Amino acid sequence: SSRRSAEASLRVGLNKAAWRVDSVFRTCSVNFEQALYERMLEPDLDILDELVAAEIQSETAKHYEGPQADQKQLQLVETAGIPTGVAPDIHRQVELRKAKRCRAG
Protein backbone atom coordinates (compact mmCIF):
# COMPACT_ATOMS: atom_id res chain seq x y z
CA SER A 1 0.00 0.00 0.00
CA SER A 2 2.76 2.43 0.88
CA ARG A 3 4.65 1.29 -2.20
CA ARG A 4 1.63 2.06 -4.37
CA SER A 5 1.25 5.50 -2.86
CA ALA A 6 4.98 6.14 -3.37
CA GLU A 7 4.69 5.06 -7.00
CA ALA A 8 1.59 7.24 -7.43
CA SER A 9 3.42 10.21 -5.89
CA LEU A 10 6.38 9.55 -8.15
CA ARG A 11 4.13 9.40 -11.21
CA VAL A 12 2.43 12.66 -10.20
CA GLY A 13 5.81 14.30 -9.63
CA LEU A 14 7.13 13.06 -12.96
CA ASN A 15 3.97 14.27 -14.73
CA LYS A 16 4.37 17.69 -13.14
CA ALA A 17 8.06 17.78 -14.11
CA ALA A 18 7.25 16.71 -17.66
CA TRP A 19 4.56 19.36 -17.88
CA ARG A 20 6.99 22.03 -16.65
CA VAL A 21 9.68 20.96 -19.11
CA ASP A 22 7.12 20.96 -21.91
CA SER A 23 5.81 24.43 -21.00
CA VAL A 24 9.36 25.82 -20.75
CA PHE A 25 10.19 24.32 -24.15
CA ARG A 26 7.03 25.78 -25.70
CA THR A 27 7.73 29.20 -24.17
CA CYS A 28 11.30 29.19 -25.48
CA SER A 29 10.07 28.01 -28.88
CA VAL A 30 7.49 30.81 -29.09
CA ASN A 31 10.06 33.42 -28.02
CA PHE A 32 12.55 32.14 -30.60
CA GLU A 33 9.95 32.18 -33.38
CA GLN A 34 8.92 35.73 -32.45
CA ALA A 35 12.52 36.95 -32.47
CA LEU A 36 13.12 35.26 -35.84
CA TYR A 37 9.94 36.79 -37.29
CA GLU A 38 10.92 40.26 -36.09
CA ARG A 39 14.43 39.85 -37.52
CA MET A 40 12.95 38.87 -40.90
CA LEU A 41 10.42 41.71 -40.80
CA GLU A 42 12.91 44.44 -39.85
CA PRO A 43 14.55 44.87 -43.32
CA ASP A 44 11.12 45.23 -44.96
CA LEU A 45 10.12 47.88 -42.46
CA ASP A 46 13.46 49.67 -42.97
CA ILE A 47 12.80 49.78 -46.73
CA LEU A 48 9.32 51.21 -46.14
CA ASP A 49 10.76 53.84 -43.77
CA GLU A 50 13.30 54.87 -46.42
CA LEU A 51 10.59 55.09 -49.10
CA VAL A 52 8.48 57.34 -46.90
CA ALA A 53 11.49 59.51 -46.05
CA ALA A 54 12.41 59.79 -49.75
CA GLU A 55 8.86 60.78 -50.68
CA ILE A 56 8.77 63.44 -47.97
CA GLN A 57 12.16 64.75 -49.09
CA SER A 58 11.07 64.96 -52.74
CA GLU A 59 7.84 66.74 -51.77
CA THR A 60 9.82 69.19 -49.65
CA ALA A 61 12.24 69.88 -52.50
CA LYS A 62 9.35 70.32 -54.92
CA HIS A 63 7.67 72.71 -52.49
CA TYR A 64 10.72 74.96 -52.28
CA GLU A 65 11.43 74.91 -56.03
CA GLY A 66 8.77 77.54 -56.47
CA PRO A 67 5.25 77.61 -57.79
CA GLN A 68 4.25 74.54 -59.75
CA ALA A 69 2.66 74.67 -63.20
CA ASP A 70 -0.75 73.76 -61.81
CA GLN A 71 -0.45 76.09 -58.83
CA LYS A 72 -1.45 79.74 -59.05
CA GLN A 73 -0.06 82.49 -56.85
CA LEU A 74 -2.65 83.41 -54.23
CA GLN A 75 -3.47 87.05 -53.75
CA LEU A 76 -3.37 88.63 -50.29
CA VAL A 77 -7.19 88.84 -50.25
CA GLU A 78 -7.48 85.10 -50.98
CA THR A 79 -5.29 84.20 -47.99
CA ALA A 80 -7.41 86.24 -45.57
CA GLY A 81 -4.72 88.88 -45.22
CA ILE A 82 -2.01 86.41 -44.18
CA PRO A 83 1.08 86.74 -46.37
CA THR A 84 2.27 83.45 -47.85
CA GLY A 85 5.12 82.51 -50.12
CA VAL A 86 8.55 84.05 -50.43
CA ALA A 87 9.15 87.77 -50.27
CA PRO A 88 10.32 89.31 -53.59
CA ASP A 89 13.80 90.20 -52.26
CA ILE A 90 14.42 86.65 -51.03
CA HIS A 91 13.10 85.24 -54.30
CA ARG A 92 15.55 87.48 -56.20
CA GLN A 93 18.48 86.27 -54.04
CA VAL A 94 17.55 82.64 -54.64
CA GLU A 95 17.35 83.20 -58.39
CA LEU A 96 20.76 84.93 -58.39
CA ARG A 97 22.35 82.00 -56.53
CA LYS A 98 20.77 79.52 -58.94
CA ALA A 99 22.15 81.51 -61.87
CA LYS A 100 25.64 81.55 -60.31
CA ARG A 101 25.52 77.77 -59.81
CA CYS A 102 24.47 77.25 -63.42
CA ARG A 103 27.35 79.39 -64.69
CA ALA A 104 29.86 77.71 -62.35
CA GLY A 105 28.69 74.15 -62.93
Side-chain angles (χ1 to χ4, degrees):
S1 164
S2 67
R3 183 177 175 169
R4 285 186 186 166
S5 79
E7 287 177 2
S9 294
L10 183 60
R11 267 189 250 128
V12 168
L14 287 176
N15 283 340
K16 286 182 179 180
W19 181 83
R20 287 182 182 153
V21 169
D22 183 56
S23 66
V24 166
F25 175 74
R26 288 176 191 254
T27 301
C28 290
S29 176
V30 166
N31 289 340
F32 175 74
E33 288 177 3
Q34 183 66 30
L36 185 62
Y37 172 75
E38 288 175 4
R39 189 183 315 161
M40 291 171 58
L41 188 62
E42 193 169 318
D44 292 339
L45 294 176
D46 288 343
I47 289 171
L48 286 175
D49 287 344
E50 293 300 323
L51 286 172
V52 168
E55 184 177 349
I56 290 171
Q57 186 176 8
S58 73
E59 288 176 2
T60 302
K62 189 186 293 184
H63 173 77
Y64 286 107
E65 282 178 355
Q68 302 300 311
D70 60 343
Q71 181 183 17
K72 69 173 189 131
Q73 184 70 29
L74 296 176
Q75 300 298 320
L76 194 59
V77 174
E78 295 172 317
T79 61
I82 300 170
T84 59
V86 180
D89 59 331
I90 294 174
H91 181 71
R92 188 172 47 255
Q93 288 177 0
V94 170
E95 293 301 320
L96 289 172
R97 286 185 184 175
K98 282 183 182 179
K100 283 182 185 177
R101 282 190 205 142
C102 287
R103 284 183 292 213

